[in-house]
Amino acid sequence: MTPQRVTLITLGVEDLDRAKAFYAALGWVPTREIAGEVVFYQINGMALGFFGKSALAADQGRPDATLGTGAITLAQNFETEAEVNAAYELAISAGAEGLKKPEKVFWGGYSGYYADPDGHVWEVAQNPFWSLNDDGSLTLPTS
Amino acid sequence: MTPQRVTLITLGVEDLDRAKAFYAALGWVPTREIAGEVVFYQINGMALGFFGKSALAADQGRPDATLGTGAITLAQNFETEAEVNAAYELAISAGAEGLKKPEKVFWGGYSGYYADPDGHVWEVAQNPFWSLNDDGSLTLPTS
């Protein structure tokens, strides 16, 4: 079997500097970097990286592919609606495209969506049924 | 600022049962589920979920969008090339599309790629410069 695990999320980007600038505006600090090629950020228990979109296609074994975006959402959960609003507003002010302003949603939480400059979709949410651990990681409730 | 953190990865899928069957064949066990709507898996420090592709588009605030895939890679790192090969072969036998058979790569590691039934791309890799923690999580080396 394969472990139930993700160790690296790689986002394909059009322009590495543009991507770095956007995430820098959110307060993110690169952990490791090969100038002009790849940038890695330490996140909770794994790494998140940016890699040129055509380089990523080639690395994936399909150099002629036009990579899409949007069928994956990366989410950040927060403890309060105010934190969700602040995260959403910060992203918009940094140049994100607002997809859905944070609002109360049918499942009982509060959630908004934005797309980063490359179209990668982030949800910012407060879920009253999911508490975050002290280190910001999430353990799904099992009952 | 926004924390350098991801708490949930949501993969948009065409057919929830097909997606569940594929990941079940890899040995993954759902942690929580709303039958016919959404499935969540506990992974290292966060959750990974499946959600219908059109439902995801609507949830993202763009119900008429046709969501793409491929410009994000989710990676699983392993300690040995043999484990990489085993993970790749298991995915192929479960119905994944092989994109690149695991091979030695220019950055000094060993890596392959496959696409799950919805086109979500997974890299399986061994990186001699990145050791995994005992719990399978990753801490980026800083020097």
Side-chain angles (χ1 to χ4, degrees), chain B:
Chain B
M1 62 170 280
T2 293
Q4 223 156 293
R5 185 167 83 200
V6 173
T7 30
L8 170 66
I9 298 166
T10 302
L11 308 184
V13 301
E14 208 57 54
D15 178 328
L16 214 51
D17 288 334
R18 182 182 66 174
K20 273 181 60 181
F22 174 77
Y23 287 88
L26 302 189
W28 288 36
V29 179
T31 306
R32 293 183 71 82
E33 187 168 356
I34 301 172
E37 288 192 34
V38 65
V39 188
F40 293 112
Y41 297 81
Q42 178 68 52
I43 64 170
N44 45 306
M46 68 180 70
L48 185 146
F50 303 144
F51 195 39
K53 217 163 165 174
S54 58
L56 180 60
D59 203 48
Q60 287 177 351
R62 44 182 182 176
D64 301 323
T66 300
L67 301 184
T69 44
I72 292 183
T73 294
L74 305 174
Q76 289 191 316
N77 278 40
F78 297 91
E79 294 290 358
T80 68
E81 295 186 6
E83 287 172 296
V84 173
N85 290 338
Y88 182 84
E89 293 305 332
L90 177 59
I92 299 302
S93 71
E97 179 194 356
L99 296 175
K100 199 183 77 168
K101 252 181 100 80
E103 60 180 25
K104 297 251 185 217
V105 285
F106 72 95
W107 47 264
Y110 185 77
S111 150
Y113 283 93
Y114 66 82
D116 81 4
D118 285 280
H120 296 298
V121 177
W122 285 83
E123 180 183 15
V124 284
Q126 184 264 339
N127 182 333
F129 311 108
W130 287 7
S131 290
L132 298 180
N133 300 320
D134 288 344
D135 67 356
S137 65
L138 172 69
T139 305
L140 282 171
T142 49
S143 64

Side-chain angles (χ1 to χ4, degrees), chain A residues 28-49:
Chain A
W28 287 36
V29 180
T31 306
R32 291 183 72 81
E33 186 167 0
I34 301 172
E37 289 192 32
V38 65
V39 187
F40 293 112
Y41 297 80
Q42 178 69 50
I43 62 170
N44 45 307
M46 68 179 71
L48 185 145

